[in-house]
Amino acid sequence: KQYRMHRRIASRLLIFEMVLVGSMNLCSGFMNAYPRYKSMSSLHVGILPSIYTNLNKNTGTLFVPSFNTLSWKGVQDFTNTCVGTAAATRRFGIISSDGLRTRPTFRMGDVKIAIVGGGICGVTAAHAIKTRLQTIAPNQKVEIVIYEGDDNSYNGEEIQSQAGFKNMRQPTWKAATAKNANSLVPGAAMHIMSQRSTLVEIVRDTMREAYLSLTAGSVNNRDFSSIPPYFGLDLNRCLGWHATWEERRCFVTFVFHFMKTSLLTGENEAKERGALMVQLAKANRTALRNYLLICDKDHSSKIGLQEGFISVHRTEEKARCAQQEAEEFGEEAVLLSRSEAIATEPKIASLPFKDAYCVLRKHDQTADCAEFIRGMIKSFQDDVDVTYDKTNGAVRDISLIKAESDASMHRFKVKTSNGATNDFDYVVLAAGVYSPLFASKISWSAGQSCPIYPLRGYSLTIFTKPKPNMPIFIKAMTFDKIYCTSVAANMVRLAGFGEMAGFPNYDRKSCSRSGPMVLEKYGNRIFGEDAAKEIQGSALPCYRPMSPDDVPIAGVVKDVPRLFLHCGHGTLGWTLSLATAHCLAQDVCDDILGVEDRDTFVLPDGSLVDRMTLSPARFAILS
């Protein structure tokens, strides 16, 4: 009897809500039709005089900033109890012009956004947020500051390829952005590591590397008869005295979620994650094409977008599996004979194994990530709303400034290494492998929402002798899990390996594994005759931010409003970040403008993806 009474009260409450919302929207339409009434600062609703509403003059939408007698959360909790979750999703709010429910915005004036990290994830996030706000809310003022702590990061002035070849030095910027293989290929996104077979590979490769170190000794004494170990695990650097307590916590959190994903999900779930990654990679490909259409021709030519990618395999069976996998994901793939492959890319003849079975993916792409970022930074120099700040040092601390009236209305204080501080309404963590350390400083729950960990790989840039009218390297390729791409006319880059060996330590002596020497040995075999500088000792470590389920993290931290994450892309930062930045911008702009009830992201190619698949909330301990 009491339950039926509660249901009657709840249903009447919902009817009252519909009448109230309808009357407010009629008032909103009346004010839009007669602009002279927009000067009214408030509207008294006769049916409930204790509720005051304001008119957002930028969008013509009514917002409810406060409830004196009727609590927003109280209505939500009451309907949750009486009519269930479905009815509870209806909240007091106003329907905007696009049919989406809106809620009160915490700030109606200028919005300040701090983006921590000036690599590929940081600059794409800033560009996407600014572009989206200009499109949907041109009157909304925003100030974006991108913090980059490495003095060797790009400044938008010199051309990376020309400067690199002139000085013949390896990239000095420590970010993985500066050392990647420039691969945009959707094919790279097909391979999922968070599955049971990877656990076996990690143990096998770690033990095999230890065995080879004891028996074969130096890498130079090893032959190319088998694929070199790719994975590695150094527990001493992950949990030993080299690591801080926060770094140990990050490792334990990552391993927990990685084991949970790998062991408790099967092959079908892994394929679903692979399909999502390919969907993001295809959208990323579209986003880059759209960007190249609007940027100047000089910048576009320097980015050097090229199509076609060759994957080289040691057995015909693996080549056919790779072809089938690409076709399953909707990509065109052709199996080439050795002679056909050499005609497409002559350097395949220099590979250190005779039996090479090749698959050509015609629509996979490569482009110069360094030139893309440099162009972005240069465009920010002419933008009064976006600042690329690398003069105040690295960000040292991010803390909450709690509001006296409402704890959820906090702001953020960002402090840099030179002592400079600034307050912001929003913070986006795009600091690569350092993102979980920043998140855990803000709150424990934020750290749990960002369970990424560094995956150490190696990058080798080879400078070749100029040959007139004849490029050294035509088609990008991958062999033995190593990517080989052209950075510029006389620069080639090899990149590969995936080791869990703690947080960044760029001392070459700390790289006890053979990865750098393997890259150098391959480089000497393939490009040794064309090298303009000695290859030995040139490989550098790079640390990629790996998420436990391979999928990037893009969205708001549930327990810390207005704290957003854009990280966890692993080895696919250049392959995915333009698409995920597009998703992040939708989330941030929805929060700024007060839009609710959106369950999907719209990708640059028009496809849809569930927001929860990218949200940090998917890593909740009880999920």
Side-chain angles (χ1 to χ4, degrees), residues 11 95 113 330 333 434 542:
S11 63
I95 306 300
I113 303 174
Y434 297 105
C542 55

Side-chain angles (χ1 to χ4, degrees), residues 323-588:
Q323 180 190 20
Q324 182 181 356
E325 183 182 44
E327 291 173 346
E328 286 178 357
F329 286 114
E331 290 296 309
E332 185 178 355
V334 180
L335 190 65
L336 303 178
S337 65
R338 181 176 175 85
S339 59
E340 290 173 330
I342 293 174
T344 305
E345 173 47 64
K347 285 296 180 184
I348 290 178
S350 301
L351 290 175
F353 41 88
K354 294 181 180 180
D355 297 327
Y357 302 88
C358 304
V359 177
L360 172 64
R361 300 196 295 259
K362 294 183 178 181
H363 302 299
D364 281 10
Q365 296 178 337
T366 57
D368 195 333
C369 179
E371 290 295 346
F372 173 82
I373 293 178
R374 191 181 297 281
M376 280 277 189
I377 296 172
K378 189 174 182 179
S379 69
F380 294 151
Q381 293 173 352
D382 301 325
D383 192 333
V384 295
D385 297 327
V386 182
T387 303
Y388 190 87
D389 185 359
K390 66 172 191 176
T391 60
N392 286 314
V395 172
R396 285 289 178 258
D397 185 57
I398 305 173
S399 57
L400 296 178
I401 307 173
K402 295 184 179 179
E404 295 181 0
S405 57
D406 188 348
S408 65
M409 298 300 176
H410 58 252
R411 300 187 76 207
F412 300 90
K413 182 182 290 292
V414 176
K415 185 176 181 180
T416 61
S417 58
N418 69 352
T421 60
N422 209 340
D423 297 346
F424 293 91
D425 305 306
Y426 290 81
V427 166
V428 177
L429 293 181
V433 297
Y434 297 105
S435 295
L437 300 179
F438 284 121
S440 61
K441 285 183 179 181
I442 296 173
S443 74
W444 180 86
S445 59
Q448 294 298 310
S449 300
C450 187
I452 66 175
Y453 197 75
L455 188 71
R456 186 175 70 184
Y458 303 97
S459 172
L460 172 65
T461 302
I462 300 173
F463 304 94
T464 59
K465 301 171 185 176
K467 287 188 177 182
N469 303 322
M470 183 179 178
I472 294 295
F473 197 53
I474 301 173
K475 290 289 183 186
M477 62 180 176
T478 177
F479 51 87
D480 292 352
K481 299 183 180 180
I482 295 172
Y483 280 82
C484 182
T485 57
S486 175
V487 182
N490 300 106
M491 292 173 65
V492 179
R493 181 166 294 154
L494 279 72
F497 298 96
E499 305 166 5
M500 283 184 282
F503 276 75
N505 183 341
Y506 295 97
D507 181 5
R508 187 177 173 87
K509 294 179 181 179
S510 70
C511 304
S512 55
R513 285 178 53 84
S514 58
M517 292 177 282
V518 170
L519 284 184
E520 291 162 5
K521 188 172 182 178
Y522 272 105
N524 273 313
R525 178 66 179 264
I526 302 171
F527 300 101
E529 295 180 356
D530 303 308
K533 182 182 178 182
E534 186 180 357
I535 296 174
Q536 199 70 22
S538 301
L540 298 174
C542 55
Y543 293 80
R544 292 77 62 93
M546 192 71 193
S547 75
D549 59 358
D550 293 273
V551 180
I553 305 173
V556 66
V557 176
K558 183 178 179 181
D559 295 332
V560 186
R562 296 179 296 285
L563 173 63
F564 291 81
L565 303 179
H566 190 218
C567 51
H569 295 71
T571 62
L572 304 175
W574 184 216
T575 309
L576 305 176
S577 58
L578 278 76
T580 56
H582 197 77
C583 299
L584 176 79
Q586 295 173 53
D587 220 2
V588 173

Side-chain angles (χ1 to χ4, degrees), residues 27 62 77 98 103 130 134 137 140 172 197 266 308-309 323 336 368 373 393 404 422 439 441 485 506 525 552 613:
C27 294
L62 287 168
D77 293 342
D98 59 358
R103 57 173 168 73
K130 179 67 187 299
Q134 285 179 335
Q140 175 65 61
T172 53
S197 59
F309 195 91
Q323 180 190 20
L336 303 178
D368 195 333
I373 293 178
E404 295 181 0
N422 209 340
K441 285 183 179 181
T485 57
Y506 295 97
R525 178 66 179 264
T613 59

Side-chain angles (χ1 to χ4, degrees), residues 120-142:
I120 184 67
C121 290
V123 297
T124 53
H127 181 266
I129 293 170
K130 179 67 187 299
T131 302
R132 183 167 178 80
L133 276 177
Q134 285 179 335
T135 303
I136 65 175
N139 294 326
Q140 175 65 61
K141 300 296 183 182
V142 63

